[in-house]
Amino acid sequence: LTRSGERAPLVGLWRLVAFQREYQATGEREYPMGGPATGYIHFQPEGRMWVVITGEGRKAPSTDQDRVGLLNTLVAYTGPYRVDGARWITTVEVSANPAWVGTEQARAFEVSGDRLQELTAWAARPDNRVARAVITYERVK
């Protein structure tokens, strides 16, 4: 396959359906961004992507503490991406999380019909439990 052919299943605009955190030890899932989190991910055929996800119940901030709280319910980054088998890897150029800028963010994925499921790598949480994000999108037509 050509590089663009490898990207073909991802290309387009996808609307967030569910943002879940799954715990490795128990399989338990929770909604860290609230039930109806909203967002989109877009993959361009020439190899650039962007994603913006916001949590449930966000309100315009009126204090510095409010502004800080908003960062806990925001995922946003962009950069060039490539596909390697069942993973896409984004070289992050701009991010709501400055620690991601200049890093590669790898995500396992599966496309089934008009559904895209994204899986982050397993990682230790601050409470020492190991978890990953399971993010489901639906293709926008």
Side-chain angles (χ1 to χ4, degrees):
L1 288 176
T2 64
R3 289 182 63 77
S4 61
E6 291 170 350
R7 290 192 289 256
L10 289 172
V11 168
L13 181 63
W14 304 82
R15 182 182 54 80
L16 182 71
V17 174
F19 187 108
Q20 299 175 306
R21 179 180 299 135
E22 177 182 27
Y23 291 94
Q24 190 175 44
T26 63
E28 168 196 358
R29 288 190 180 188
E30 64 185 9
Y31 293 87
M33 299 276 244
T38 57
Y40 288 90
I41 192 165
H42 186 253
F43 294 93
Q44 296 177 311
E46 58 272 15
R48 175 167 291 279
M49 64 78 68
W50 59 261
V51 61
V52 177
I53 297 172
T54 58
E56 174 184 24
R58 289 169 51 96
K59 297 195 180 355
S62 57
T63 67
D64 285 344
Q65 185 173 352
D66 291 347
R67 286 176 191 74
V68 169
L70 287 175
L71 291 177
N72 292 327
T73 58
L74 171 66
V75 175
Y77 64 94
T78 186
Y81 76 97
R82 66 186 186 278
V83 174
D84 180 9
R87 296 183 323 147
W88 83 73
I89 301 107
T90 304
T91 303
V92 179
E93 294 178 336
V94 179
S95 177
N97 179 352
W100 283 17
V101 175
T103 69
E104 287 196 336
Q105 294 294 315
R107 303 290 188 259
F109 75 93
E110 181 179 332
V111 175
S112 178
D114 287 334
R115 288 278 170 139
L116 167 62
Q117 187 163 74
E118 169 188 357
L119 302 167
T120 65
W122 293 106
R125 305 274 314 144
D127 63 7
N128 291 322
R129 295 194 293 169
V130 176
R132 67 179 176 185
V134 179
I135 307 170
T136 305
Y137 300 92
E138 184 175 78
R139 188 179 294 278
V140 174
K141 294 181 178 182

